[in-house]
Structures are given as C-alpha cells and as structure tokens.
Amino acid sequence: MQIITEPGLMQAAVEKLRLNRQRIAVVMTMGALHEGHLSLVEKARSIAGTVIMTIFVNPKQFGPDEDFHRYPRPFEQDAAHAKAAGVDYLFAPSPEAVYPEGFQTTIHAGAIAEGFEGTKRPGHFNGVATVVTKLLQITKPHAAIFGEKDAQQLAVILRMVRDLNIDVDIVSSPVVREKSGLAVSSRNIYLSREQRESASVLFRGIRQAGMELEKKRTDLAAIAEEIRAMIEREPECRPDYVSFVDDRSFITAETAEPEREYRLLIAAWAGTVRLIDNRLFKT
Ligand code: PAF
C-alpha cells in the first residue's frame, strides 16, 4: 500500500492508473477506522481493481463547538487496517494541502441539506460537499463508496454529483451494526458501557417501526412519535429527532402512501455522544 500526502502526487498516480485502464474506487474517511469503513473497502474491492482510501479530518464540516480537535486520529493503526483490508493507495493530506492559503471556493448544498443534520449542524453539508468534490478531483475514481449510515450525506452527494455532472458512480453500502444492533461509528468509543447498552434503543426503534409498517399502518408521524417516546424511556438516552422522510427529497412524511419509499431517521444523545441511525422502508 502506497501512502501519499500531496494532492499533486495522488493525481499523478491516478493518471497512470487510468492510462493503464485500471478501474478505480475510492473510500473517503476521516480515519478512526472501524468495521463500517472496512465493509466499504470490501465493496470497493468487489467493483474495482484499484482501491484508494482517503483519510482526512475535514475542518470545514465541523461546527465551532464540535469535536474537530478531539476527533480521534490513530493514523498508524488506521494505515495498518487499510493495508490489511487491501487498500492500494492511502491518501492522507494535511489541512494545508487541502485548503492552502487563499482557498475560498465552496460548494453550497441545496434543500436536502437543510433539515435534520443540516439544522443541527449548520454548514456541515457544505463542508462535506466541498471536500468530497475536492477528493473526487484528486483521486479521479470511477466509483466512490459511501455508507448508508450517513443517509443524508449520501443523498446530498448523490444530488451534487447529478447537479454538477461529476462523472463518478456513487455506490452505497449498508449500515454495519454491533451485536446489539448499534450502528458502528467512530464516536462509539466515547460511550460508557451503560450508554452503549442503552444506545441500542435506536436499532430497537427501527425494528419497532418495521413491525408497525408491516401492520399496514400509514400514520408515519404517530409511529415516529412512539419511537421518540421509546428513546425517552431509555435511562442514558434522549432523542434529538425521529422522523420519516421521503427518501429523495428528505422532506418529512406524515402519512404513508402505497408503493413508496420512506426513510426513518433517528438522532439521539447517549450522554454527550450524538448518534444517528436510519432505515429505508418500502410501503
Ligand atoms: O463520512 C465521512 O467520514 C465524511 O463526511 C467524509 C465523506 C469522509 C467527508 O469528510
């Protein structure tokens, strides 16, 4: 596995690969790799001959009161995991290499980015869209793999790629879960044992929603309210938002119509750790 830190060198390496007709897939991460990231690499390997992983903790997607400075950065460990997973190139630039002095152009994500995580984290998706665009320009992949765990991020990126005619296939990969059902996340390391146990309520909520929809209930707002109450009853947790949305527009759906796709979005706090989870349901 080759480690590259300079955008120009990464672009030169990719240029050669493309001349040799190599199919390239990229997995973008902020490091602190876990099983979820490794499943993205596996997916990338299944569709491309060359896999690039990027590790970059992007300052532009963190708010001033968020955990940018204490975000875990175990680089040596990450590099070992990436190598073992079969990554061919690890692109790990410094913030100065990505945002050199004078940098001033950003992508403004549209309406999909406004609710939910967008409301809670103003500017977050503009930061994501900007860095994803830059990383696509630097790694020039045929495909880019993103986890469904960050469903709103995935929707923003899909929309952006379509809107800006970016020539790349965006491939999604399912949420990876711990035994308890808790979605794996780099931030899970901040959870105490009790909080971790309680946090599985997000997954229990998703399962409960599935059972209610199987009964052909159409009152999505009421189901979401029941899940919210379920999270409220959990000692270590408090809900942030629970809502069904139309999967394309990310607009809240109150009532289900037949033959449609709705995504249940859940965000909740376990202590000071904010967790998100989601599932797509078909009616
Ligand atoms: O999902 C993430 O880890 C980040 O938002 C991403 C896509 C790597 C952009 O910084």
Side-chain angles (χ1 to χ4, degrees):
M1 182 181 77
Q2 206 174 321
I3 300 178
I4 299 181
T5 56
E6 288 304 318
L9 295 179
M10 186 72 249
Q11 281 170 319
V14 160
E15 194 69 26
K16 263 198 202 150
L17 291 166
R18 280 192 162 250
L19 279 174
N20 288 331
R21 301 195 165 278
Q22 274 292 315
R23 191 167 165 80
I24 303 163
V26 69
V27 174
M28 298 180 189
T29 80
M30 298 204 300
L33 300 182
H34 51 61
E35 271 177 77
H37 297 115
L38 302 179
S39 77
L40 303 183
V41 174
E42 208 175 297
K43 182 99 185 181
R45 290 230 65 89
S46 74
I47 59 170
T50 299
V51 176
I52 302 174
M53 175 183 276
T54 68
I55 296 187
F56 179 62
V57 184
N58 174 32
K60 297 215 179 286
Q61 68 186 77
F62 287 80
D65 300 328
E66 293 185 24
D67 56 349
F68 174 68
H69 291 292
R70 68 178 183 119
Y71 198 84
R73 290 168 171 84
F75 184 73
E76 300 301 324
Q77 196 182 307
D78 283 347
H81 284 318
K83 188 173 174 189
V87 169
D88 300 294
Y89 292 86
L90 181 58
F91 178 57
S94 65
E96 296 72 32
V98 176
Y99 301 116
E101 216 181 300
F103 179 89
Q104 54 184 264
T105 307
T106 59
I107 302 272
H108 178 81
I112 297 171
E114 276 165 21
F116 307 102
E117 291 307 291
T119 307
K120 302 291 164 180
R121 308 179 68 187
H124 169 71
F125 286 120
N126 291 346
V128 170
T130 301
V131 82
V132 167
T133 304
K134 286 197 62 126
L135 292 172
L136 288 174
Q137 288 295 99
I138 294 167
T139 60
K140 295 194 176 14
H142 298 91
I145 326 295
F146 292 92
E148 240 182 274
K149 157 123 188 321
D150 295 303
Q152 196 174 5
Q153 167 172 287
L154 179 61
V156 166
I157 293 169
L158 278 166
R159 187 72 253 173
M160 175 184 82
V161 160
R162 230 176 290 150
D163 288 349
L164 301 183
N165 300 89
I166 301 178
D167 188 14
V168 66
D169 287 337
I170 301 299
V171 177
S172 68
S173 190
V175 180
V176 176
R177 299 183 180 281
E178 297 185 358
K179 254 201 190 121
S180 67
L182 175 66
V184 301
S185 158
S186 305
R187 290 186 173 98
N188 289 357
I189 58 164
Y190 301 138
L191 296 168
S192 69
R193 200 165 54 79
E194 294 76 17
Q195 288 166 347
R196 213 179 183 102
E197 273 166 28
S198 276
S200 67
V201 71
L202 276 74
F203 181 61
R204 283 183 272 126
I206 286 174
R207 267 205 321 226
Q208 186 64 36
M211 287 190 274
E212 298 308 320
L213 289 171
E214 269 181 21
K215 293 179 202 159
K216 301 285 172 217
R217 278 181 66 180
T218 56
D219 50 344
L220 299 179
I223 298 173
E225 204 40 58
E226 287 161 23
I227 308 242
R228 189 183 176 87
M230 193 172 159
I231 298 171
E232 251 155 21
R233 287 196 297 274
E234 191 65 42
E236 298 282 340
C237 291
R238 87 197 130 84
D240 189 343
Y241 58 73
V242 180
S243 186
F244 283 91
V245 293
D246 173 278
D247 194 42
R248 290 189 177 191
S249 62
F250 265 66
I251 291 173
T252 301
E254 305 270 322
T255 311
E257 287 169 24
E259 310 286 315
R260 290 274 299 272
E261 291 191 334
Y262 298 98
R263 196 175 283 278
L264 173 63
L265 303 177
I266 304 182
W269 294 90
T272 57
V273 184
R274 195 160 171 282
L275 302 166
I276 56 170
D277 206 339
N278 73 88
R279 178 164 289 176
L280 185 65
F281 292 103
K282 294 188 172 103
T283 54

